[in-house]
Amino acid sequence: MRTNARLSLAAFAFTAFVYPVCGQGIATPPNPNPTQHHWQPYLATYKVTSQQTLADGTIIVRESTETEAQDSQGRHMHSQTEVTPQMGRDPGTSGSANDPVEGTQSTWDSRAKKARVVKLPSKDQREGCWSNDAGTFRMSWNRAGRGLTGGSSFFVSGSSGTAVVSATTPVTAPAVARPKPAIEDLGTQSIDGVQAHGHRFTTTIPAGEIGNDEPLVTTGEDWISTEFGIIVRNVSDDPRSGKRTRELVDLTPGDPDPTTFQPPEGYQVVVEELHQVACPSTP
């Protein structure tokens, strides 16, 4: 892994989060150090490899890269670039960003060369339900700062509370009991020159739980840098979907260029305002 030491690396304690790709939204993490009121800035690049083995022995390998950025004012960005061609579409880059300073939420996609920037209501108005004019984009807050659930929603959180963004009307989904994983401490080791502490998570789905005739075992590993606090390597292995590895390959401490949190140049940008609407009733 290549680390760009523009600033003293020992001065940083980062927390990395996995963001969904464009169209699924982004999640802004809480301050990793609640005793401090500033954000720790960084720019990180990850290599993601997925391998799936089919019943006939065919192996499908997909590769992509992901970029994450956070600045000292709380802006966050995540983008994903496909390396392996997908059937029916060309490889492309999709991204999303949350800017609490400007009060905007942005998404973009390189295939269409289009971007959407949604202007959020001011912090003192963030209560109840909000929508764009077409009703295709919704956000909701409640008084406790906790978001509503359901629908194709994603979460946006920060000092002003948590909101849920949805492309459709939120619906209430019943709670599903999931098996608790067994957690194993893997100790500390050097990964590409970075000291990281790891944990393994093993989850067993009992026979018959989802139509399986034998117990189904899935495993995952998280390796977090003891110096920076960010994820260095994440591995998940599920016999239903295959193995996925996400590994840090480049890290630059310090505030990224401000354009990192904006749609790329040359894109058709649609700016949308939100207005308050009646919240949908729950059954």
Side-chain angles (χ1 to χ4, degrees), residues 60 73 169 273 280:
I60 300 175
Q73 298 187 73
T169 301
E273 302 269 0

Side-chain angles (χ1 to χ4, degrees), residues 211-243:
N212 49 317
D213 62 349
E214 297 287 343
L216 188 63
V217 179
T218 65
T219 61
E221 290 185 11
D222 282 334
W223 291 87
I224 299 177
S225 167
T226 56
E227 183 177 5
F228 310 122
I230 68 169
I231 293 177
V232 177
R233 179 185 295 161
N234 169 265
V235 181
S236 61
D237 196 349
D238 189 321
R240 295 167 294 180
S241 57
K243 185 176 182 179

Side-chain angles (χ1 to χ4, degrees), residues 50 67 72 88 94 101-103 182 200 202 231 262 273:
S50 300
T67 301
S72 55
S94 55
V101 179
E102 298 296 329
R200 178 180 291 119
T202 303
I231 293 177
Q262 302 171 4
E273 302 269 0

Side-chain angles (χ1 to χ4, degrees), residues 60-80:
I60 300 175
V61 178
R62 297 185 179 92
E63 293 185 355
S64 63
T65 60
E66 295 183 6
T67 301
E68 293 179 4
Q70 175 175 284
D71 73 3
S72 55
Q73 298 187 73
R75 297 181 179 93
H76 288 83
M77 186 279 299
H78 173 267
S79 69
Q80 176 174 307

Side-chain angles (χ1 to χ4, degrees), residues 24 148-155 164-173:
Q24 296 175 333
L148 304 176
T149 59
S152 54
S153 304
F154 60 85
F155 293 83
V164 172
V165 182
S166 178
T168 59
T169 301
V171 295
T172 302

Side-chain angles (χ1 to χ4, degrees), residues 18-57:
V18 179
Y19 298 112
V21 298
C22 180
Q24 296 175 333
I26 66 172
T28 304
N31 191 329
N33 188 345
T35 64
Q36 300 180 7
H37 299 286
H38 63 276
W39 299 85
Q40 301 294 344
Y42 70 91
L43 177 66
T45 302
Y46 290 84
K47 178 182 178 180
V48 182
T49 303
S50 300
Q51 180 173 313
Q52 182 181 17
T53 302
L54 305 183
D56 63 358

